Amino acid sequence: MGLRLYAQPVCTVTAYNEETGMSQWHITQMLQDKSGMMWFSTWNGIDRFDGYNFVNFKSHSGDKSIMPNDRIRDMRLDANGVICCLADNSWFQFDGKTGQFLPLPLERQREFEGTGNMKGRMSLGFRDDFIRHTDIYGTVWRLDKQGVLSYHDGNGYKEYPVSRSLTDVQFYMTDRQKNLWLLTHSEVLKLTFGRKPFQRLPQERKAAIGAMMIDDWAQYWITTKEDSTVRIFDRDNNLLGYLAPDGRIVKNYTSFSSPIYSITEVIRQGKEPKIYLGSKPGGVWILGPSCTYEGYTVTHIPKEKLPCNNIYNIKADNLGRIWFATMGGGIVCLDENYDIISGFKDVTGKHDLSKSKVRYIHITKDDVLLAATTEGLLVGKIPQGDVRGMKLRLHQREPMRDSSLSNNATMEVLEDGKGRFFICTESGGVNEIVSKDLLSEQLEFRHYGLTNGLGSDVVISMVDDDGTLMLVSSNKLLTLDTKKSVFSYYDSHFFHEPLRFGECRPIRLADGRWLFGLLDGAITIDDALISKTSFVPPIVITAIDISGRGVMQSVNHLTSLVLEPSERSLTISFAALDYSNPEGVSYAYRLSPEDEWTYIGGIHQVSLAGLKPGEYVMELRSTNSEGAWQENIRRLMIDVRPTFTESTIGRLIILLLLLGVIGSVIYTYRYIRRIKRKQAETLQAYLLLIEQNEKAKETGGAGDVAVTNEDQSTPQPTEQKTAVPELSEDDELLMSRILRYVEDHISDSDANVNDMAAAAAVSRSGLIRKMKSIVGLTPADFLKEARIKRAATMLRNSSVSVADICYSNGFTDPKYFGRCFKATMGVSPSDYRANA
């Protein structure tokens, strides 16, 4: 008799009370607002529930609310969807933007007058002996006053056992997902409904499924590991029997010779089909047709012929040669002469492939072999003739190349109906080969995993379902539509039972159902039961915590948010209002429509720190509780105001100030250089005048050739007037007086600044200030420079000793004179004379 196909209705009861976050045990009413959030009135204000957390709203001192107390005896929605609350005998409307309770005008209060008037109520009490409810799948449920829950199975009502008491129901309501909410005196009960979408295959003992196959007669074979059975079912799902070690098909529970990990039927043209069984650790068995039609002939390849007896996968190439994936002996070939060939080489010579742990083999129509191993993906071209010279290339994860294989522990290779190749991995999700040439030295991969929305990085098997990949993870099923980048998953919430899937590839049976292997048996799932619900949960923003401002709870009405310059960090909390299974909802966000989505799993808040000034468009999206991603995008504009120095005007002003400072520095530098140059020119001019006047005296001239002599009608014919930079009249007079003093006392060692100031008719400080301004030197330094200049002339033009020159120029110590001369002229007096 075939398996009965029926989806068992399932109901889950969840209780909410003070222990789970409600503000008070005395609950008076409940409703669902226009945004989809659930609200509960209590004697401690009203509680908002987003599927994760309860948030309490009530009156507070200083909030300007005249509500007498927080005992909310009733709660309803008005015609505009505004929550109205009854406190004692007065109605108040709740402002969802501020969280305050405002008086309700008397004309509007009449809308809710009369305790028997149910207008505006979102939940109802018992109107007869039963609460009847039709769930989202069309199943009719009934709850009586004694708390007995039952469902209609098509023939009548059948009691459904629940673990929690359903008595004392005061009110009930149905939300938008057709969940049933029951209000008792002390808690709220949520009843979510589903149907178990799978059927377990009968199995004598719990054991992991090793391999599954559909043969040429549409019979399907299932093997188990722990008890080494091989079961065969016909296309109508009837158990034909067990494969005995001698090849017979027997009705009674029987074990085969060894646990079978792989099973493949090979059909060669003009020859009877053969079935190859790969075991661990028994090697390979070959089943051939039996003339008795009661079973199969059995041929065992001796263990000593195989490099490894752990056979994980078996495939045939286009010439009928059989290829074995061994766990520890690499790839093995059984050629047309039934010779065993192994030890294939790596094309680069860097890897020893003779002991590779190979899990899966795929052979293309062009005889390109791809093998999933624990160390990466092996790819090679199968020769048409002798395969002994075949070489393989190992592709692995590369730390410095993003487009390399995501994980070396590869599990399976799949070629879909469009000729695309996918590699599933132990912990790196799914890799799609995007290179056109499979034999390239470096393959390029596209990755699918948790980081871009796939429900898990653990993918142990996969199958092509009419263009959509069905992926098997350890505890859930995943689907991947690569064209649309659409992901969904089926977990314990969908199955209503925790399942642990095995590594064998799923197969589709003749009646259209899928057959999956588990660690404790096998299940079948009808495609119609896998279909997802069409519910799209709205996303609401439940709280915003801005650094320095505090937490804001009434924020769902916001479409934009302005952050002041000091508010650069915030945390945004949100929820997709799917009350069937909020823990099964996954989220993603981005800060610009041009950005890639950031997938954050079940985390329903985002913290943004150190935001730079500018405008952001934060977008949120989610799955529903069954893992299907939705286009339920919630947007929030975030305007981060700049500080003055970050604003355009501020930066422009800073730039102008900076340019002004730079200009001032340049101007000051050039001005100082100009002054220094003028001072140096003035100094050299007056020193030259001193020298010229000295020469004029020696030749009997009038002296003082630097200044126009108004008593002479013509200048001295032997001297030219030295050009002195233009000075003020007072400065010229001062310098002429200083010049006369220097000329008169250049040989006087007792000459000093005080006497020079007296000769110039100024104070000592005034003389120092003026001299530094005009020539850049103090009076003492000017006198010393004049003496050194005169000494240099004497060294060039006379044979007087250095010591005499020292004394004749006002120096009393020849050594000191030598140091001063060298400091000014760069050489000692003797060297100067020698080089003159």
Side-chain angles (χ1 to χ4, degrees):
M1 181 178 178
L3 296 173
R4 185 172 63 95
L5 301 179
Y6 179 70
Q8 172 70 40
V10 178
C11 177
T12 303
V13 180
T14 306
Y16 300 105
N17 45 43
E18 287 180 312
E19 283 69 34
T20 59
M22 298 194 78
S23 63
Q24 221 265 353
W25 67 269
H26 189 76
I27 307 159
T28 58
Q29 193 53 274
M30 58 184 171
L31 58 82
Q32 187 172 27
D33 69 13
K34 59 184 178 181
S35 70
M37 281 198 273
M38 293 294 299
W39 294 84
F40 304 93
S41 59
T42 75
W43 281 22
N44 185 26
I46 59 176
D47 289 352
R48 185 188 73 192
F49 184 53
D50 61 7
Y52 302 102
N53 302 302
F54 290 92
V55 177
N56 179 249
F57 296 89
K58 60 183 180 180
S59 60
H60 297 279
S61 58
D63 65 358
K64 301 180 181 180
S65 173
I66 62 172
M67 191 166 67
N69 54 57
D70 296 310
R71 289 188 174 186
I72 309 301
R73 301 178 182 276
D74 198 358
M75 178 177 61
R76 307 183 190 180
L77 287 179
D78 69 8
N80 297 318
V82 177
I83 296 176
C84 299
C85 302
L86 178 65
D88 283 347
N89 296 317
S90 299
W91 284 93
F92 295 83
Q93 66 180 19
F94 176 71
D95 188 341
K97 296 181 179 180
T98 63
Q100 294 180 321
F101 294 86
L102 307 175
L104 191 67
L106 290 176
E107 60 272 15
R108 292 187 56 198
Q109 291 194 31
R110 296 191 184 97
E111 180 180 349
F112 306 119
E113 287 181 353
T115 56
N117 180 15
M118 304 306 295
K119 182 179 179 182
R121 284 186 182 272
M122 297 302 295
S123 58
L124 308 174
F126 276 93
R127 286 180 291 179
D128 48 33
D129 293 335
F130 302 99
I131 296 175
R132 289 182 174 84
H133 176 75
T134 302
D135 67 22
I136 196 170
Y137 302 102
T139 303
V140 178
W141 296 78
R142 188 175 68 179
L143 176 65
D144 63 21
K145 291 184 177 180
Q146 286 70 44
V148 177
L149 180 68
S150 55
Y151 65 92
H152 201 284
D153 65 357
N155 298 315
Y157 282 97
K158 183 177 181 180
E159 183 176 346
Y160 188 92
V162 291
S163 59
R164 199 172 189 94
S165 173
L166 301 182
T167 59
D168 193 29
V169 175
Q170 305 299 308
F171 298 103
Y172 72 92
M173 65 165 285
T174 300
D175 66 18
R176 297 174 187 174
Q177 292 175 266
K178 294 195 174 182
N179 300 308
L180 181 63
W181 298 75
L182 307 177
L183 179 64
T184 71
H185 278 301
S186 59
E187 64 182 1
V188 174
L189 302 176
K190 179 185 69 177
L191 278 62
T192 56
F193 302 94
R195 52 185 179 178
K196 190 171 289 188
F198 66 88
Q199 295 288 318
R200 285 187 176 269
L201 257 63
Q203 190 165 305
E204 289 288 335
R205 300 178 185 177
K206 288 187 176 182
I209 302 302
M212 302 184 299
M213 179 199 73
I214 297 180
D215 64 20
D216 192 44
W217 288 15
Q219 300 175 145
Y220 56 97
W221 300 52
I222 302 176
T223 74
T224 56
K225 294 180 180 180
E226 288 82 356
D227 57 354
S228 304
T229 66
V230 179
R231 287 176 292 166
I232 306 173
F233 295 81
D234 67 16
R235 63 182 302 146
D236 295 323
N237 309 302
N238 298 300
L239 177 63
L240 298 178
Y242 293 81
L243 179 66
D246 59 5
R248 290 180 302 112
I249 306 300
V250 298
K251 295 293 185 181
N252 296 329
Y253 172 78
T254 303
S255 296
F256 192 64
S257 305
S258 181
I260 301 302
Y261 278 62
S262 178
I263 180 168
T264 301
E265 184 178 37
V266 177
I267 302 175
R268 294 184 180 181
Q269 187 173 5
K271 296 185 178 181
E272 294 287 346
K274 291 185 177 181
I275 296 176
Y276 290 78
L277 306 176
S279 75
K280 176 184 178 182
V284 177
W285 279 267
I286 305 174
L287 304 182
S290 171
C291 59
T292 63
Y293 298 100
E294 294 180 355
Y296 298 87
T297 61
V298 179
T299 303
H300 183 224
I301 298 180
K303 295 181 179 181
E304 58 273 11
K305 286 191 174 184
L306 295 170
C308 177
N309 289 305
N310 298 326
I311 312 299
Y312 268 55
N313 192 237
I314 303 174
K315 287 293 189 301
D317 64 21
N318 295 321
L319 296 179
R321 293 169 295 196
I322 310 302
W323 298 82
F324 305 125
T326 73
M327 186 58 65
I331 297 173
V332 179
C333 177
L334 180 66
D335 68 10
E336 56 272 18
N337 298 318
Y338 289 89
D339 292 330
I340 301 293
I341 303 170
S342 61
F344 298 105
K345 304 295 185 183
D346 171 37
V347 69
T348 65
K350 297 179 180 179
H351 307 281
D352 181 10
L353 305 181
S354 62
K355 296 182 180 179
S356 294
K357 296 179 179 180
V358 185
R359 288 192 173 108
Y360 195 88
I361 291 174
H362 176 76
I363 300 174
T364 73
K365 62 181 181 180
D366 299 323
D367 276 334
V368 176
L369 183 147
L370 298 93
T373 79
T374 58
E375 297 177 346
L377 176 68
L378 286 173
V379 181
K381 177 71 173 179
I382 301 175
Q384 290 295 308
D386 192 350
V387 300
R388 288 178 174 82
M390 183 180 73
K391 292 187 177 182
L392 302 162
R393 186 182 301 277
L394 182 63
H395 298 274
Q396 297 180 303
R397 185 183 70 85
E398 301 173 32
M400 305 306 293
R401 188 166 69 92
D402 291 340
S403 59
S404 67
L405 195 66
S406 66
N407 189 276
N408 288 339
T410 55
M411 302 295 295
E412 273 193 13
V413 180
L414 171 68
E415 181 179 4
D416 72 1
K418 298 179 181 179
R420 299 176 298 178
F421 294 89
F422 297 89
I423 317 299
C424 64
T425 69
E426 196 172 61
S427 59
V430 176
N431 294 248
E432 179 184 358
I433 301 177
V434 297
S435 300
K436 298 299 183 183
D437 184 4
L438 293 176
L439 300 176
S440 299
E441 292 185 9
Q442 190 178 71
L443 289 179
E444 302 290 324
F445 297 89
R446 181 183 295 117
H447 307 138
Y448 301 94
L450 281 173
T451 56
N452 54 7
L454 193 63
S456 176
D457 280 336
V458 178
V459 183
I460 56 180
S461 183
M462 56 187 170
V463 67
D464 181 20
D465 182 15
D466 295 330
T468 297
L469 297 187
M470 185 178 294
L471 313 174
V472 179
S473 186
S474 55
N475 65 339
K476 66 185 72 171
L477 299 180
L478 316 167
T479 61
L480 167 59
D481 185 338
T482 58
K483 184 178 181 180
K484 299 179 181 179
S485 293
V486 175
F487 313 96
S488 60
Y489 62 85
Y490 307 83
D491 58 7
S492 58
H493 168 71
F494 173 79
F495 292 112
H496 298 282
E497 180 182 331
L499 301 178
R500 289 290 179 267
F501 291 92
E503 296 178 4
C504 57
R505 175 173 287 186
I507 59 175
R508 189 187 285 275
L509 303 180
D511 58 15
R513 291 178 301 147
W514 284 101
L515 179 64
F516 293 89
L518 305 178
L519 297 184
D520 60 353
I523 60 173
T524 61
I525 303 178
D526 192 340
D527 261 348
L529 301 182
I530 292 181
S531 60
K532 293 287 186 178
T533 65
S534 59
F535 180 71
V536 179
I539 296 179
V540 295
I541 298 177
T542 56
I544 298 178
D545 184 0
I546 300 175
S547 177
R549 194 188 301 186
V551 181
M552 300 181 294
Q553 302 285 2
S554 298
V555 292
N556 190 47
H557 65 283
L558 295 177
T559 58
S560 61
L561 183 67
V562 177
L563 299 182
E564 296 302 324
S566 60
E567 301 171 338
R568 294 296 176 86
S569 299
L570 74 161
T571 298
I572 301 175
S573 300
F574 43 86
L577 299 180
D578 190 321
Y579 292 102
S580 292
N581 179 36
E583 290 75 17
V585 177
S586 296
Y587 296 90
Y589 78 95
R590 60 186 178 188
L591 293 179
S592 169
E594 289 75 33
D595 293 345
E596 295 292 330
W597 289 101
T598 298
Y599 294 88
I600 55 178
I603 299 173
H604 48 97
Q605 69 176 23
V606 173
S607 295
L608 305 173
L611 288 173
K612 295 181 180 180
E615 294 184 350
Y616 302 85
V617 182
M618 183 175 188
E619 294 187 335
L620 305 166
R621 68 181 296 213
S622 76
T623 68
N624 59 20
S625 61
E626 292 185 350
W629 283 100
Q630 307 295 321
E631 293 301 319
N632 55 343
I633 296 177
R634 173 67 156 89
R635 293 180 177 87
L636 178 66
M637 306 288 293
I638 302 176
D639 182 7
V640 182
R641 296 290 173 85
T643 61
F644 176 75
T645 57
E646 292 172 329
S647 66
T648 302
I649 295 177
R651 289 179 177 177
L652 180 59
I653 292 175
I654 291 174
L655 178 60
L656 292 175
L657 290 175
L658 182 61
L659 292 175
V661 170
I662 294 174
S664 299
V665 170
I666 294 174
Y667 173 80
T668 303
Y669 173 73
R670 291 181 174 177
Y671 175 77
I672 293 174
R673 284 191 62 187
R674 186 168 64 250
I675 295 298
K676 293 289 185 182
R677 184 169 60 250
K678 183 178 180 181
Q679 289 175 340
E681 292 173 353
T682 303
L683 173 63
Q684 294 302 319
Y686 278 108
L687 292 177
L688 184 58
L689 283 173
I690 293 172
E691 183 180 355
Q692 290 175 348
N693 290 338
E694 182 72 21
K695 288 182 180 180
K697 289 178 181 179
E698 292 176 357
T699 59
D704 197 6
V705 298
V707 181
T708 302
N709 189 346
E710 296 180 357
D711 297 334
Q712 294 179 334
S713 58
T714 59
Q716 291 294 323
T718 59
E719 295 290 346
Q720 296 291 328
K721 181 179 179 180
T722 300
V724 177
E726 183 179 354
L727 299 175
S728 68
E729 186 177 344
D730 291 340
D731 288 348
E732 282 188 0
L733 179 60
L734 175 69
M735 289 303 299
S736 65
R737 291 171 180 171
I738 293 171
L739 217 60
R740 290 191 188 98
Y741 179 84
V742 171
E743 291 173 352
D744 293 342
H745 297 85
I746 198 167
S747 300
D748 184 3
S749 61
D750 293 329
N752 57 69
V753 176
N754 291 332
D755 291 344
M756 187 184 298
V762 295
S763 66
R764 175 187 173 90
S765 60
L767 177 64
I768 294 173
R769 185 175 65 254
K770 277 291 185 179
M771 286 290 290
K772 293 192 72 174
S773 173
I774 296 171
V775 297
L777 295 177
T778 63
D781 289 338
F782 180 77
L783 178 59
K784 184 171 62 176
E785 286 291 320
R787 287 170 170 172
I788 294 298
K789 198 79 172 175
R790 183 169 179 263
T793 302
M794 294 176 68
L795 287 169
R796 290 196 311 270
N797 301 327
S798 71
S799 59
V800 179
S801 67
V802 173
D804 290 340
I805 291 174
C806 165
Y807 297 132
S808 65
N809 284 286
F811 290 95
T812 58
D813 182 3
K815 290 184 178 180
Y816 177 69
F817 166 69
R819 289 196 300 272
C820 291
F821 189 92
K822 187 172 184 180
T824 300
M825 306 303 293
V827 294
S828 66
S830 300
D831 292 340
Y832 183 82
R833 168 172 279 176
N835 296 327

